[in-house]
Amino acid sequence: VKTIGILTSGGDAPGMNAAIRSVVRVAISKGLKVKGIMRGYAGLLEEEIVDMDSTSVSDIINRGGTILYTARCKEFTTAEGQQKGAEICRKHGIDGMVVIGGDGSFRGAGKLSALGINTIGLPGTIDLDIACTDYTIGFDTAVNTAMEAIDKIRDTSTSHERCSIVEVMGRNAGYIAMWCGIANGAEDILLPERYDGDEQALINRIIENRKRGKKHNIIVNAEGIGHSSSMAKRIEAATGIETRATILGHMQRGGTPTCKDRVYASIMGARAAILLSEGKSNRLVAYKHGEFVDYDIQEALNMVKDIPEEQYEVAKLLVR
Ligand code: F6P
């Protein structure tokens, strides 16, 4: 491999810039040329390709978002789109690629590998929903952002003696909800992986909490369950306690990355560049059981993951 491309794909995540910086600088140190591909696979198909050097990634390690921009691209899910992408890579002399994104992006990365472009994936998503890894770039910043927001909601919720439903992101996964539920000392945590839909039991717990003298009642609800506003209305009607819903939304995706996200993203980025410099392809960099590792992309995509039982048990013991 002589020249590598790098792109970010899917939802952005704080720490992606740290990963880009590391890929670029380590690749250059290994004698490789680097090209930045703007707007993910969509930009690849539009040939939005720029040369990068060491200074292209100066002053970005502390910045949220992604300097390469990102997009979700339907066309690249088709065989024709993938073929076109591989041809564009060849046209620009790109024989290696780093894709930073989530599962959808890795399916594309696997296809690029099969089409002869040495491709390495880096897990970048706030959702933590990539099965092969215990860490994804952006999760740490996102849970800290959500935690701080929920602390603030708790203040006003207590002052008004209200019930608050706070909806956090995560798509179909409840990791952000579970971590915030524990960290914010929530009275209830609703996870798509575990919630049985028994709203009456939830209402009974709120009534019970109020009887025990609780001034607030924070419910952390995962996006995968959703419907926080209508839930708030039903809870208020059933309990007589003023209830407000707050959907934290995209603020969870922004902001300056935490130290952990900067450091882990840097280590993962370096590993991607080193793998490419060694002629490896079709690998996904991961963090598993306390170590940085890499897996075959197809093998990684076939893995399954669930909320760790011990963490869930702790969460259940601590709510109320
Ligand atoms: O995957 C990250 C994420 O923020 C999810 O938590 C959420 O479901 C989704 O992206 C939102 O996507 P969009 O920014 O396209 O609305």
Side-chain angles (χ1 to χ4, degrees):
V1 168
K2 288 203 173 60
T3 303
I4 68 166
I6 176 165
L7 61 81
T8 47
S9 166
D12 65 343
M16 280 183 165
N17 282 329
I20 295 166
R21 172 177 176 271
S22 177
V23 169
V24 171
R25 294 215 167 145
V26 175
I28 290 170
S29 79
K30 299 282 171 194
L32 304 175
K33 285 205 173 107
V34 187
K35 296 192 186 221
I37 294 157
M38 312 304 284
R39 298 183 178 77
Y41 293 119
L44 174 64
L45 297 179
E46 297 293 325
E47 297 189 53
E48 292 184 58
I49 300 171
V50 296
D51 290 332
M52 294 186 92
D53 60 24
S54 239
T55 58
S56 322
V57 290
S58 297
D59 293 327
I60 66 166
I61 193 164
N62 55 328
R63 280 166 54 191
T66 158
I67 60 160
L68 295 175
Y69 300 94
T70 186
R72 306 188 200 276
C73 176
K74 271 239 170 72
E75 192 184 351
F76 202 77
T77 60
T78 66
E80 299 76 50
Q82 291 150 5
Q83 191 71 46
K84 184 176 163 193
E87 276 158 23
I88 289 171
C89 284
R90 273 188 271 276
K91 179 177 158 193
H92 289 263
I94 295 171
D95 47 6
M97 180 75 87
V98 177
V99 172
I100 311 175
D103 276 350
S105 315
F106 300 144
R107 273 185 275 280
K111 300 292 182 198
L112 266 186
S113 296
L115 291 164
I117 310 297
N118 284 9
T119 305
I120 307 293
L122 290 182
T125 168
I126 64 163
D127 300 337
L128 196 66
D129 60 347
I130 298 175
C132 69
T133 186
D134 300 333
Y135 164 83
T136 58
I137 296 166
F139 175 75
D140 191 59
T141 307
V143 279
N144 276 287
T145 301
M147 179 189 76
E148 284 171 19
I150 297 170
D151 278 344
K152 292 181 172 124
I153 291 169
R154 186 191 181 109
D155 289 344
T156 165
S157 200
T158 307
S159 306
H160 287 262
E161 299 174 74
R162 281 175 174 158
C163 173
S164 286
I165 305 182
V166 190
E167 187 172 313
V168 296
M169 274 188 169
R171 201 179 292 276
N172 300 315
Y175 298 99
I176 298 178
M178 189 182 64
W179 278 60
C180 287
I182 295 173
N184 291 103
E187 275 65 39
D188 245 298
I189 311 172
L190 309 183
L191 308 179
E193 294 89 344
R194 297 287 187 280
Y195 184 51
D196 59 6
D198 188 350
E199 205 165 285
Q200 190 54 51
L202 180 68
I203 287 166
N204 293 345
R205 288 196 292 275
I206 296 167
I207 295 170
E208 193 51 40
N209 286 342
R210 185 50 55 102
K211 277 192 196 144
R212 289 197 294 126
K214 284 239 177 194
K215 295 296 182 206
H216 59 253
N217 199 109
I218 305 282
I219 301 164
V220 178
N221 185 30
E223 176 189 15
I225 294 173
H227 304 290
S228 297
S229 300
S230 54
M231 213 185 269
K233 287 201 181 90
R234 289 193 298 273
I235 288 172
E236 181 165 313
T239 62
I241 300 168
E242 268 195 321
T243 304
R244 296 285 187 270
T246 308
I247 298 168
L248 294 184
H250 286 81
M251 57 118 49
Q252 296 162 94
R253 287 235 299 261
T256 184
T258 57
C259 180
K260 179 172 180 175
D261 275 330
R262 297 181 200 194
V263 173
Y264 279 34
S266 298
I267 294 170
M268 288 180 148
R271 195 180 184 99
I274 291 166
L275 286 168
L276 284 174
S277 73
E278 291 170 346
K280 306 264 173 52
S281 181
N282 202 41
R283 310 292 296 172
L284 197 53
V285 179
Y287 182 79
K288 199 77 186 161
H289 307 310
E291 279 180 16
F292 293 95
V293 291
D294 50 86
Y295 296 105
D296 173 87
I297 289 183
Q298 275 69 38
E299 188 193 327
L301 288 174
N302 285 334
M303 293 181 188
V304 285
K305 174 179 194 179
D306 193 11
I307 295 283
E309 205 45 45
E310 185 180 3
Q311 291 177 23
Y312 181 61
E313 287 305 322
V314 169
K316 274 200 306 190
L317 288 169
L318 293 180
V319 293
R320 306 279 180 270

